[in-house]
Amino acid sequence: MAPKAIIAPSILSADFADLGAACSRTIEQGADWLHVDIMDGHFVPNLTFGPPVVAKIRSHVDRPTEGHGKGTFDCHMMIAEPKKWVKEFKAAGCDLYCFHYEAAVNSSAAESPEAHSDLKTSPRELIRYIHQQGMLAGIAIKPATKAEVLYEVLDSADEAERPDMVLVMTVEPGFGGQKFMASELPKVQALRERYPELNIEVDGGLGPGTIDQAADAGANVIVAGSAVFGAQDPAGVIALLREAVDKRGGKL
Ligand SMILES: O=C(CO)[C@@H](O)[C@H](O)COP(=O)(O)O
């Protein structure tokens, strides 16, 4: 059976002038996690915020009491140098550090052994490092990246090198409010068939009109920004997303 629904509203669509209150309110409205989009203006053509802001909003939301429980800060690191920021985000209150496969591979290939050796990494090494710092590890892929690249880490015999979640982007990362790319769902389906227990997150264009397709494919961690923060009834939308995933749980 697929894991249960985890609803993670993306605070990119929240009112930034009222971020702390928006975060605590969203958890009260039924969200499990908060999806925190970190963008560096290099890996993606947009900028958001860094550790000081995460630390401030952390003080408005209780930490999860276990593993990936309620209140988890799911930090989606759309940054070119994912290893560089692990410790800072841990200190700021991040619980799940989800880096992009493309960024880890590029930084690994681009750096010579002499230069920045402390930042040189590979997806497996980075997952191990994130775990060593006491966070859950996620690995994300952009639409142009095949799901098969994730098999290498997911099949690792060493638990410390296996991710706790994968994120299949259903838009090009960078901005909220984009159109859902159903073309990405075969990746979700392939991952779900191969890894029945895996937390598979989808992000981009999710809402009442697209959740059924994503849930049918096997996604269980649902990021929704504009659909939640732009709703008249955010609690109703969160409940609808959860129900769509959980009613399919036994069928996958
Ligand atoms: O990572 C991203 C965008 O890069 C997302 O988390 C979006 O913020 C989701 O927004 P909606 O598509 O749900 O409005």
Side-chain angles (χ1 to χ4, degrees):
M1 196 192 287
K4 67 185 174 77
I6 294 172
I7 309 303
S10 164
I11 64 170
L12 191 60
S13 297
D15 177 358
F16 277 17
D18 187 33
L19 206 45
C23 289
S24 57
R25 198 162 49 236
T26 305
I27 292 289
E28 281 160 24
Q29 287 163 343
D32 300 291
W33 296 359
L34 291 175
H35 184 83
V36 183
D37 283 316
I38 308 298
M39 305 186 189
D40 68 352
H42 293 280
F43 185 73
V44 289
N46 197 3
L47 278 171
T48 53
F49 41 76
V53 174
V54 175
K56 281 288 178 198
I57 57 176
R58 180 77 273 179
S59 65
H60 291 256
V61 179
D62 291 340
R63 296 298 291 261
T65 47
E66 38 59 62
H68 50 265
K70 198 169 178 72
T72 290
F73 271 24
D74 164 27
C75 294
H76 177 193
M77 309 304 296
M78 287 166 272
I79 62 175
E81 292 184 299
K83 186 171 181 192
K84 185 172 176 180
W85 294 97
V86 170
K87 287 187 175 172
E88 280 83 351
F89 275 85
K90 168 65 184 172
C94 169
D95 305 295
L96 192 162
Y97 190 96
C98 184
F99 65 92
H100 266 268
Y101 168 85
E102 302 84 0
V105 167
N106 284 344
S107 61
S108 172
E111 288 169 22
S112 68
E114 315 81 58
H116 309 292
S117 58
D118 58 327
L119 299 179
K120 189 173 175 303
T121 191
S122 73
R124 280 184 183 224
E125 287 165 358
L126 186 47
I127 292 166
R128 176 182 290 281
Y129 182 60
I130 293 165
H131 283 151
Q132 279 167 353
Q133 303 309 314
M135 290 184 286
L136 299 170
I139 182 164
I141 52 171
K142 294 204 238 184
T145 305
K146 291 181 169 27
E148 286 80 359
V149 301
L150 300 175
Y151 295 172
E152 199 238 335
V153 287
L154 289 165
D155 292 343
S156 171
D158 185 344
E159 199 183 337
E161 293 182 347
R162 282 202 301 272
D164 303 285
M165 183 189 82
V166 301
L167 163 54
V168 175
M169 288 304 297
T170 46
V171 294
E172 283 299 338
F175 300 92
Q178 300 183 74
K179 188 171 182 297
F180 178 71
M181 294 169 68
S183 57
E184 301 313 293
L185 293 179
K187 295 180 190 174
V188 174
Q189 202 166 356
L191 286 161
R192 175 57 70 219
E193 278 166 16
R194 196 173 156 114
Y195 306 101
E197 313 271 310
L198 180 64
N199 278 318
I200 303 177
E201 182 173 68
V202 283
D203 178 11
L206 272 305
T210 51
I211 187 61
D212 286 339
Q213 299 169 68
D216 278 343
N220 72 297
V221 185
I222 310 299
V223 176
S226 40
V228 169
F229 287 99
Q232 294 285 345
D233 174 19
V237 172
I238 291 169
L240 181 152
L241 298 174
R242 185 186 307 290
E243 196 191 334
V245 173
D246 282 341
K247 77 177 180 204
R248 285 162 173 85
K251 293 188 199 152
L252 294 165

